[in-house]
Amino acid sequence: MSVNVPERIKVLWFIPTHGDSRYLGTSVGGRAVDLPYLTQIAQAADSLGFYGALLPTGRSCEDSWVIASALAPLTRRLRFLVAVRPGLQSPTLAARMTATLDRISGGRLLINVVTGGDPQENKGDGIFLSHAERYAVTREFLDIYKAVLSGETVAHEGPHFRIEDGRLLFPPVQAPYPPLYFGGSSAEANDVAAEQIDKYLTWGEPPAQVAEKLDTVRRLADAKGRDVSFGIPLHVIVRETSEKAWAAAEELIRYLDDDTIAAAQKVFARMDSEGQARMSRLHGGRRDKLEVSPNLWAGVGLVRGGAGTALVGDPDTVAERIDEYRRLGIDTFIFSGYPHLEEAYRFGELVLPNLPLDHPIPS
């Protein structure tokens, strides 16, 4: 199947609502999650020219909807990628929340559909469903959610939801609804992405593995007569020279010991997320084989779940690695780096102006 290589890309940053630090796996250098600090990061991303910012979700994070609502009036152009949670929310309530935040932000909302991959955390939120059942809920949720946001009045009775007279009185700014992002690596996730989603997110594996995943989703979507675009979340460690960048990577994990790594990997192992399993296999919990592909470093994934790899290098090298993923068909990049305020400036000043962006950088 031919690959549609985008000429231009979107670049987003990350709002660390679970906390920030100069180091991983330790309280040394930690920064509190408070609105003034998150505002600094959001306003830096806004002024530097990032397209938007991802707000993570989960019980270790401040609520993404509340934080986005607080940050939207304090920024001008920045879009906010905020999670809806099938199984945790009614689809019609989620639609009203979506329409409201899209309106009050002036059409700057992006939606991240998160099914959830940690059974223990899910139980804490009252979800006692298998992996397959959660994706069945997600598919049914999205059928209702998208219809209501599109202006339809919905009557629905299915395995997981019953809706009568489901409708919006106040529509979103973006028609028919804000773009839907979604990540997942299992067969069930791929099917949902191909059928329902605008942008499929794959975590930062080596390019050959990413290419295989994109091709799978591309083929499934094509069979359904749909087009799906692609994005990737990655950490980044960029410095004026590669030597300084690699030194910064080592500095980031200087306080990690074997017990801390083992405890984190034990938590990841209990999850039923295929994407998390793929991330963990990149390094196997070992810190001696962390460069899993040229300039792709898996050190973050030793203790952090989710996206666990970073592009490491000087500005030209990092830009070339980004372009390698672009040539696979990826048009959206979500970057993060520690600490997120300083790394936003480094990336925003050293790399962002040299990328083929489809959004302007403020002069």
Side-chain angles (χ1 to χ4, degrees):
M1 176 176 290
S2 62
V3 174
N4 180 23
V5 178
E7 293 185 5
R8 300 284 174 178
I9 61 174
K10 293 178 172 65
V11 177
L12 289 76
W13 195 243
F14 185 90
I15 305 293
T17 59
H18 48 52
D20 204 1
S21 181
R22 298 195 306 275
Y23 309 103
L24 292 176
T26 177
S27 60
V28 177
R31 296 178 183 176
V33 178
D34 57 31
L35 186 59
Y37 181 60
L38 298 180
T39 299
Q40 288 184 65
I41 297 171
Q43 290 179 338
D46 196 25
S47 65
L48 288 164
F50 287 91
Y51 179 75
L54 169 64
L55 287 81
T57 188
R59 67 181 175 187
S60 65
C61 306
E62 295 282 19
D63 182 79
S64 60
W65 289 85
V66 175
I67 297 297
S69 298
L71 294 177
L74 305 177
T75 52
R76 293 179 295 166
R77 293 170 296 271
L78 196 71
R79 293 162 176 81
F80 295 94
L81 179 54
V82 180
V84 296
R85 298 293 306 272
L88 278 181
Q89 298 169 291
S90 153
T92 49
L93 174 60
R96 288 200 298 277
M97 293 169 62
T98 298
T100 299
L101 188 49
D102 196 46
R103 286 197 309 278
I104 68 171
S105 67
R108 291 188 284 139
L109 180 62
L110 309 170
I111 293 296
N112 189 21
V113 181
V114 177
T115 297
D118 183 346
Q120 185 168 322
E121 182 172 324
N122 287 336
K123 291 174 183 177
D125 286 329
I127 299 175
F128 293 81
L129 299 174
S130 69
H131 182 274
E133 288 171 329
R134 292 201 309 274
Y135 281 99
V137 168
T138 298
R139 178 179 277 106
E140 189 176 345
F141 174 100
L142 287 172
D143 283 338
I144 301 165
Y145 174 79
K146 291 163 67 176
V148 170
L149 282 168
S150 299
E152 299 179 27
T153 298
V154 173
H156 174 93
E157 186 164 354
H160 306 287
F161 299 102
R162 180 179 175 182
I163 305 292
E164 296 180 4
D165 192 30
R167 55 196 171 97
L168 280 179
L169 297 182
F170 307 102
V173 171
Q174 300 176 85
Y177 40 77
L180 302 183
Y181 292 54
F182 172 86
S185 298
S186 66
E188 293 91 342
N190 291 339
D191 283 339
V192 169
E195 179 183 298
Q196 299 273 6
I197 298 301
D198 302 308
K199 193 171 301 291
Y200 173 76
L201 300 176
T202 178
W203 284 337
E205 298 175 60
Q209 295 178 35
V210 168
E212 292 176 1
K213 290 179 68 177
L214 302 193
D215 188 59
T216 295
V217 174
R218 200 178 278 119
R219 290 179 183 277
L220 289 170
D222 185 65
K224 299 177 185 295
R226 297 188 71 245
D227 291 321
V228 176
S229 61
F230 299 101
I232 188 169
L234 288 158
H235 300 279
V236 64
I237 303 173
V238 62
R239 299 294 185 273
E240 288 81 358
T241 68
S242 286
E243 291 78 14
K244 289 180 179 179
W246 284 110
E250 288 301 316
E251 184 73 3
L252 188 61
I253 59 173
R254 65 176 294 188
Y255 289 102
L256 286 188
D257 55 34
D258 292 342
D259 289 343
T260 302
I261 294 171
Q265 294 302 309
K266 184 178 180 180
V267 171
F268 304 152
R270 80 183 182 208
M271 300 179 181
D272 60 6
S273 164
E274 176 60 24
Q276 183 59 62
R278 291 171 68 109
M279 282 279 101
S280 295
R281 285 197 293 269
L282 290 177
H283 52 71
R286 298 174 56 180
R287 58 191 302 161
D288 60 337
K289 295 183 178 181
L290 293 177
E291 190 175 4
V292 296
S293 183
N295 303 99
L296 184 66
W297 183 72
V300 178
L302 291 173
V303 291
R304 174 176 164 168
T309 52
L311 298 181
V312 181
D314 61 77
D316 289 344
T317 300
V318 169
E320 172 53 32
R321 295 296 173 238
I322 293 170
D323 202 61
E324 191 172 9
Y325 286 111
R326 181 191 66 85
R327 295 193 298 267
L328 299 180
I330 291 176
D331 67 7
T332 299
F333 293 80
I334 305 169
F335 289 114
S336 54
Y338 296 91
H340 286 77
L341 179 60
E342 288 91 327
E343 201 67 40
Y345 277 105
R346 291 191 188 101
F347 185 88
E349 293 170 352
L350 296 174
V351 182
L352 196 63
N354 300 317
L355 298 177
L357 302 178
D358 80 345
H359 48 94
I361 293 179
S363 57

